[in-house]
Amino acid sequence: MALHALQDVDDAIEATRSFLFPPRIGRWLKLALVAFFVGGSGFPTAQFNAGSSIPGPSDPPSSTPPGDLPTSIPDDVLPFLVVGIALVILVGIVLGVIGATMEFVLIESLRQRRVVLREYLSDRWRQGLRLFGFRILIGLPVAVLFLGWVGLFIASLGGIIDPVIAFPTFLVGLAVLILLGILFAIVDTLTTVFVVPIMTMTDAGVLAAWRRLWASIRVAWKQYLAYLLVAGLLGIAAGLLGSIVTGVVAIGLLLPVAVLGAIVYATVTFASTVGTVVLALLVAVFLAAVFVVWLLVQAAIVTYLRYYALLVLGDVEPSLDLIPDQRAAIRA
């Protein structure tokens, strides 16, 4: 049995090359913006840290009235802290929704071979909300278990829980956390690379698209397992290659910045106000340029990996082929 995950590695390179070259500045910049949101996990996390004073066996009884519990946070700081946490959560939700919607923008861009952000965002934001909600749903148990595991560890260190009981529980919790984390990673990956295209093609919800994918996985599970293994290796290789390219370009950009810095030092010195301002501007321009280069590299990597997934999905399940014309052109 031929494994499409191996056969489609080179085809994805050709699909990426034909889409990105000859380079068009507008297309690359738009894809860089999309890659900024989808290049990561796409799953927003909110961490809550609370501190409290818990009396131990040797502590004297607290004289604080029951309605006035002691706290290490001043009353005048607490409102700002609450507002700050609320803002962080709100920003995380907004970025998560945008990232989920950008998944559909990316697939539409590769499918139609044109990048039109406003049109795709307008058409797919509802599905983006559904995808975001699904990511929260599958990620919440992992987050809760992780917080509980950390709490158990802290409690054992603080002597709140007997170490004889805490240690084996800690190890069992760690094993469960690792297994659940692996399961979450698999489900999240399959959702991103296969369920999102199915949703795009059929205008279905997440669960309906997952049912369609699951029916295919039950029949061709070896193909999907091979994809997970090969895609993982490709992701690592692409990440290393992207880091090398970005590093080389950064070194190339650093040379003219260093020359300009030397000129500024020789003329006005960095100790002066003008020298400090010029130096700050040089550093800011350099960091901004490196960031843009990194985004462009990520755009190419994300394009390749998603084309690879689309090719595998179409080969395993021809009825779910989103890019039949591109596939035919590549293999003609």
Side-chain angles (χ1 to χ4, degrees):
M1 178 184 66
L3 294 176
H4 300 301
L6 298 177
Q7 297 177 336
D8 291 335
V9 172
D10 293 335
D11 289 345
I13 296 177
E14 179 60 27
T16 303
R17 185 201 61 78
S18 64
F19 182 62
L20 295 180
F21 296 94
R24 302 176 186 176
I25 296 178
R27 173 174 292 184
W28 274 84
L29 291 178
K30 291 176 183 177
L31 283 175
L33 178 62
V34 174
F36 174 76
F37 288 101
V38 306
S41 64
F43 179 71
T45 58
Q47 298 179 352
F48 301 88
N49 298 316
S52 60
S53 176
I54 303 177
S58 61
D59 293 335
S62 174
S63 59
T64 309
D68 233 353
L69 293 178
T71 176
S72 59
I73 303 176
D75 292 339
D76 56 342
V77 175
L78 186 59
F80 296 98
L81 182 61
V82 173
V83 171
I85 293 176
L87 287 176
V88 170
I89 296 176
L90 179 61
V91 171
I93 292 175
V94 171
L95 292 178
V97 172
I98 295 175
T101 307
M102 284 296 186
E103 299 285 0
F104 296 92
V105 173
L106 176 60
I107 296 302
E108 284 286 18
S109 300
L110 302 183
R111 179 189 186 186
Q112 302 187 26
R113 293 181 59 83
R114 63 189 186 97
V115 187
V116 188
L117 296 181
R118 182 179 299 179
E119 176 184 338
Y120 299 157
L121 286 171
S122 176
D123 292 341
R124 299 295 177 178
W125 68 268
R126 293 176 182 83
Q127 288 182 309
L129 284 175
R130 295 175 183 175
L131 177 62
F132 173 74
F134 182 78
R135 283 174 168 172
I136 291 291
L137 182 64
I138 64 174
L140 194 59
V142 181
V144 171
L145 180 60
F146 175 75
L147 291 176
W149 180 75
V150 172
L152 177 64
F153 178 73
I154 296 175
S156 62
L157 290 180
I160 301 174
I161 301 178
D162 187 352
V164 177
I165 300 176
F167 184 70
T169 307
F170 178 80
L171 293 181
V172 172
L174 178 61
V176 174
L177 184 63
I178 292 175
L179 291 176
L180 191 60
I182 293 175
L183 179 61
F184 165 77
I186 293 174
V187 173
D188 185 59
T189 298
L190 293 177
T191 300
T192 300
V193 300
F194 293 140
V195 172
V196 168
I198 295 174
M199 293 174 66
T200 302
M201 184 178 190
T202 61
D203 288 325
V206 182
L207 297 181
W210 247 111
R211 285 193 291 268
R212 183 67 183 85
L213 176 64
W214 184 248
S216 179
I217 291 176
R218 290 170 58 186
V219 175
W221 63 270
K222 293 181 180 178
Q223 297 285 357
Y224 290 100
L225 178 60
Y227 166 81
L228 289 174
L229 296 175
V230 177
L233 296 176
L234 288 176
I236 295 173
L240 291 175
L241 180 60
S243 299
I244 293 173
V245 172
T246 304
V248 170
V249 175
I251 293 174
L253 293 174
L254 184 61
L255 295 177
V257 172
V259 171
L260 292 175
I263 294 175
V264 173
Y265 180 78
T267 54
V268 297
T269 74
F270 294 141
S272 64
T273 303
V274 175
T276 302
V277 172
V278 173
L279 177 62
L281 288 176
L282 288 175
V283 172
V285 170
F286 170 73
L287 293 178
V290 172
F291 180 68
V292 171
V293 170
W294 177 79
L295 281 180
L296 294 175
V297 171
Q298 292 303 307
I301 292 175
V302 169
T303 298
Y304 170 75
L305 293 177
R306 294 306 168 83
Y307 260 132
Y308 173 64
L310 291 177
L311 288 168
V312 172
L313 178 62
D315 281 334
V316 176
E317 195 70 40
S319 63
L320 298 177
D321 189 4
L322 273 74
I323 51 172
D325 296 336
Q326 298 178 53
R327 184 190 310 274
I330 292 170
R331 297 173 179 175

